[in-house]
Amino acid sequence: MHHLQCIFQVQRSLRCVPLASGSCLLLRTCRTHSSFPSTACPSPEGQQEHGVRKDFSSRLATGPTFQHFLRSASVPQEKLLSPEVEDPPPYLTVDELLGRQRKVYLETYGCQMNVNDMEIAWSILQKNGYLRTNNLQEADVILLITCSIREKAEQTIWNRLHQLKVLKTKRLRSRVPLRIGILGCMAERLKEEILKREKMVDILAGPDAYRDLPRLLAVAESGQQAANVLLSLDETYADVMPVQTSLNATSAFVSIMRGCDNMCSYCIVPFTRGRERSRPVASILEEVRKLSEQGLKEVTLLGQNVNSFRDNSEVHFNSAAVSTNLSRGFSANYKIKQGGLRFAHLLDQVSRIDPEMRIRFTSPHPKDFPDEVLQLIHERDNICKQIHLPAQSGSSRVLDAMRRGYSREAYVELIHHIRESIPGVSLSSDFIAGFCGETEEDHLQTVSLLQEVQYNMGFLFAYSMRQKTRAYHRLKDDVPEEVKLRRLEELITVFREEATKANKTSVGCTQLVLVEGLSKRSPTDLCGRNDGNLKVIFPDVEMEDVTNSGLRVRAQPGDYVLVKITSASSQTLKGRVLCRTTLKDSSTYC
């Protein structure tokens, strides 16, 4: 049996084993059948001959000990593979797990969660002695953090691997061999298929295996491919402080939960990210405090289903008496859990840390917007009045096929309720064109929803069927590709028209803008984002500082400024800057 097949067979037998103990057990199990010092597994003939040479006792000695399982059971899972690992697997030394100044080049594709994952992966590698480089040519390790949400996203990675293959082939023998790794959702979805298709890939690490990167890279140094794509029921990286990779960043992403239980029929996320599990509130608050101390002015709370957050780490909050409230007229595709600290509690606590720090969150599900969340957003000045409300379709029939848990009527009612609860709220959404069985009438209903709601921002895509999803097994991808693209173009056109109308209502208004830096299109302009997360462009000129009477300043990244809006498009606002201010003082003018 090929050694990788051996590894993946063992992995399948360890689905319920926690990640850290499962990873170590996986590789020790392979070692009990091998005289090799790493993860390789010999052929069946070699295994039989090896069994003759060694008796049961000697082979048992090379496997996990009773104390190993005691440690795995008694130590919290998230502490097992700390960077300062004291008990490495028997086939590696502590020194072999260290980076020894090797340089890592990171590329991120896909959603904001992947950006946060990149920062987590880099935090782990940095503590193990690796260095970061932005120069591809000098990299010793290249890691791609990948996306699997659509076929186009995966094709981008395959194309990138072809480019990197040339770089790896031309590597001088006098230098350290170049190692290439695939991380994230694509590694989780395709697993060994990547290693079989691209022999130049050295390591695979799923979204729950970033703690294992030092070991995987150490194994790769022996010239073998290494993989860990085990999904975990409890990994949240709560004890890993992500390392901000942008030197002049004004904002940061904070992951509060991972995975998704919704099982929408089109979505691959539950199969690449696993089931929902939330970080303890205390660890999230600690991370946000540190970001505040570093001077960051905006934090976005991240999760695949961010507003279904539930922290069960505090036993006294786990009572079933603590009910779970859904949006009115919405249902869940799974048995609703009770108890735990919910999203409203977390949002309340995070917003209290720094009144001058803006708080956003993404990506939510429409079902998880109880009144207490909406009321909190309305009351707190530093919680942005912007809500992402993925609709996916305007047809109740298609929504049912998608297993979204609501009808068009319930969704529209929620829109009205949100706008009543949060005056001036900015809305954004996701839409899929050409889902299985979508008729022209279904498509026109989505067009009419765009016209009715008038979103400020939108993310629209043609449907791409993914293996493993419910749609793949039970539905037919029967909308021709040219029809999907035509419907997508129509949706984009209508969205832009309606977004322009919605954004033009801001003309003449004064808005608070968090400055991000120079405009990409003009060196004489600055850009930033307003409360609704729309980009705002304004001249880089001197202005009054209302916190220091008589002082005139030029805005810097991280400053709050007041801008009077003079024009608007579907994606951008333009205006003239009035003064530099604070978030607290801005309420007097906005």
Side-chain angles (χ1 to χ4, degrees):
M1 181 183 296
H2 190 278
H3 66 87
L4 283 172
Q5 291 176 330
C6 174
I7 291 174
F8 282 109
Q9 283 193 1
V10 176
Q11 284 179 330
R12 283 192 284 270
S13 71
L14 295 173
R15 293 292 182 190
C16 296
V17 180
L19 174 62
S21 59
S23 300
C24 191
L25 178 59
L26 181 158
L27 290 159
R28 291 189 185 202
T29 303
C30 285
R31 193 171 185 267
T32 63
H33 297 286
S34 173
S35 59
F36 296 106
S38 57
T39 63
C41 292
S43 65
E45 294 80 9
Q47 289 183 6
Q48 185 176 7
E49 180 181 348
H50 183 70
V52 173
R53 289 201 313 267
K54 282 197 172 185
D55 61 18
F56 175 79
S57 298
S58 62
R59 284 185 285 117
L60 182 63
T62 63
T65 66
F66 180 63
Q67 290 300 317
H68 167 80
F69 288 104
L70 286 181
R71 287 197 300 274
S72 299
S74 60
V75 180
Q77 180 266 340
E78 296 194 344
K79 298 292 186 181
L80 279 173
L81 285 181
S82 63
E84 297 79 15
V85 58
E86 297 179 359
D87 184 22
Y91 47 85
L92 293 172
T93 66
V94 173
D95 184 63
E96 286 174 318
L97 292 177
L98 299 178
R100 299 189 297 279
Q101 306 294 299
R102 280 177 291 174
K103 295 181 179 180
V104 180
Y105 181 90
L106 295 158
E107 281 188 1
T108 306
Y109 299 82
C111 66
Q112 297 100 322
M113 184 65 80
N114 280 1
V115 176
N116 184 255
D117 279 6
M118 181 265 289
E119 294 173 347
I120 289 171
W122 171 232
S123 177
I124 292 168
L125 291 173
Q126 186 183 53
K127 289 180 180 178
N128 277 267
Y130 287 87
L131 301 177
R132 181 78 185 276
T133 180
N134 292 319
N135 185 343
L136 188 65
Q137 299 298 324
E138 68 178 22
D140 302 310
V141 178
I142 299 174
L143 300 178
L144 309 183
I145 296 87
T146 62
C147 174
S148 249
I149 199 71
R150 279 171 289 277
E151 185 177 353
K152 184 178 179 181
E154 290 187 355
Q155 189 57 50
T156 300
I157 300 301
W158 290 122
N159 294 340
R160 184 58 169 151
L161 286 175
H162 287 310
Q163 297 168 3
L164 296 178
K165 187 175 185 178
V166 176
L167 184 66
K168 189 170 185 177
T169 303
K170 292 182 177 180
R171 184 80 163 195
L172 295 176
R173 292 188 177 183
S174 59
R175 295 182 61 188
V176 175
L178 177 62
R179 303 302 178 193
I180 296 176
I182 301 295
L183 278 56
C185 293
M186 188 170 168
E188 191 64 51
R189 192 182 85 81
L190 296 178
K191 299 181 173 65
E192 62 262 47
E193 181 182 332
I194 296 176
L195 299 180
K196 292 176 180 177
R197 179 170 166 178
E198 286 294 347
K199 302 298 183 184
M200 45 85 73
V201 173
D202 299 289
I203 72 166
L204 291 181
D208 293 344
Y210 300 142
R211 294 179 191 274
D212 206 22
L213 283 172
R215 184 193 63 79
L216 294 173
L217 287 168
V219 171
E221 283 305 300
S222 67
Q224 300 177 78
Q225 293 177 311
N228 185 342
V229 290
L230 291 172
L231 286 175
S232 169
L233 293 176
D234 52 13
E235 177 64 273
T236 64
Y237 300 106
D239 61 330
V240 178
M241 182 66 180
V243 176
Q244 300 297 313
T245 56
S246 177
L247 297 177
N248 299 315
T250 59
S251 60
F253 296 120
V254 175
S255 174
I256 68 169
M257 55 90 70
R258 300 175 74 85
C260 184
D261 289 344
N262 285 311
M263 301 297 289
C264 299
S265 63
Y266 56 83
C267 189
I268 192 66
V269 167
F271 304 96
T272 59
R273 291 273 180 177
R275 307 309 294 268
E276 286 182 14
R277 63 273 190 200
S278 300
R279 283 177 63 181
V281 168
S283 74
I284 299 169
L285 299 182
E286 179 184 5
E287 183 174 341
V288 174
R289 286 191 194 98
K290 289 181 178 179
L291 293 171
S292 174
E293 291 168 0
Q294 293 171 17
L296 273 73
K297 293 296 184 65
E298 183 177 278
V299 159
T300 301
L301 306 179
L302 285 182
Q304 267 78 30
N305 191 22
V306 67
N307 54 340
S308 71
F309 175 87
R310 181 191 309 276
D311 172 17
N312 291 313
S313 64
E314 300 286 344
V315 177
H316 52 285
F317 287 110
N318 284 340
S319 169
V322 182
S323 62
T324 296
N325 300 320
L326 299 182
S327 306
R328 287 179 283 185
F330 288 70
S331 62
N333 293 326
Y334 54 90
K335 184 178 180 181
I336 295 293
K337 302 170 187 175
Q338 304 297 331
L341 296 174
R342 301 308 312 279
F343 185 64
H345 173 86
L346 174 67
L347 198 57
D348 170 56
Q349 294 299 304
V350 169
S351 66
R352 293 176 184 273
I353 290 175
D354 184 351
E356 289 297 311
M357 175 182 275
R358 274 180 171 172
I359 309 300
R360 302 186 188 276
F361 57 90
T362 198
S363 178
H365 191 286
K367 79 177 191 307
D368 293 305
F369 276 106
D371 287 350
E372 54 264 35
V373 171
L374 300 179
Q375 187 63 30
L376 187 63
I377 296 172
H378 172 64
E379 292 176 355
R380 296 290 162 82
D381 290 337
N382 64 333
I383 301 179
C384 291
K385 309 303 181 279
Q386 182 253 330
I387 291 180
H388 185 60
L389 210 63
Q392 307 301 357
S393 175
S395 164
S396 293
R397 192 187 68 82
V398 173
L399 289 170
D400 183 59
M402 289 178 167
R403 302 184 81 239
R404 290 291 289 169
Y406 55 85
S407 63
R408 175 196 174 109
E409 291 72 25
Y411 181 87
V412 171
E413 183 179 341
L414 177 61
I415 292 284
H416 292 323
H417 182 52
I418 289 175
R419 283 178 165 160
E420 290 170 359
S421 303
I422 312 171
V425 66
S426 175
L427 296 176
S428 59
S429 191
D430 298 338
F431 286 93
I432 296 173
F435 184 66
C436 304
E438 182 187 74
T439 65
E440 202 64 28
E441 175 58 30
D442 294 324
H443 168 63
L444 292 176
Q445 289 183 39
T446 301
V447 170
S448 70
L449 182 63
L450 286 168
Q451 293 169 332
E452 181 176 355
V453 176
Q454 286 193 344
Y455 299 97
N456 300 90
M457 297 176 65
F459 305 90
L460 301 89
F461 303 95
Y463 175 61
S464 174
M465 180 171 273
R466 316 308 288 142
Q467 291 183 3
K468 297 185 180 179
T469 62
R470 186 183 181 93
Y472 179 81
H473 290 291
R474 302 195 180 190
L475 302 176
K476 186 178 180 181
D477 188 10
D478 54 0
V479 179
E481 191 66 22
E482 62 270 19
V483 175
K484 290 180 183 178
L485 296 178
R486 188 259 300 168
R487 290 177 182 174
L488 176 62
E489 286 301 317
E490 291 177 3
L491 293 181
I492 291 173
T493 299
V494 173
F495 160 73
R496 286 176 175 168
E497 291 172 352
E498 300 304 323
T500 300
K501 294 176 186 177
N503 294 339
K504 280 186 175 180
T505 62
S506 298
V507 174
C509 298
T510 298
Q511 297 192 350
L512 181 69
V513 175
L514 177 59
V515 181
E516 295 180 339
L518 287 173
S519 169
K520 292 181 180 179
R521 295 190 177 184
S522 171
T524 61
D525 289 335
L526 293 174
C527 73
R529 293 191 180 269
N530 66 2
D531 198 62
N533 209 26
L534 274 173
K535 184 176 289 187
V536 181
I537 308 295
F538 54 94
D540 180 10
V541 296
E542 283 193 347
M543 68 196 77
E544 179 188 359
D545 184 349
V546 296
T547 62
N548 292 281
S549 181
L551 182 66
R552 299 200 51 89
V553 296
R554 296 179 90 97
Q556 301 297 319
D559 286 345
Y560 287 113
V561 296
L562 292 176
V563 177
K564 187 166 185 177
I565 305 302
T566 57
S567 65
S569 68
S570 62
Q571 300 180 55
T572 307
L573 303 178
K574 291 185 178 181
R576 58 184 180 86
V577 67
L578 302 179
C579 62
R580 186 168 73 176
T581 184
T582 64
L583 197 155
K584 180 180 178 181
D585 292 337
S586 66
S587 58
T588 306
Y589 305 92
C590 298

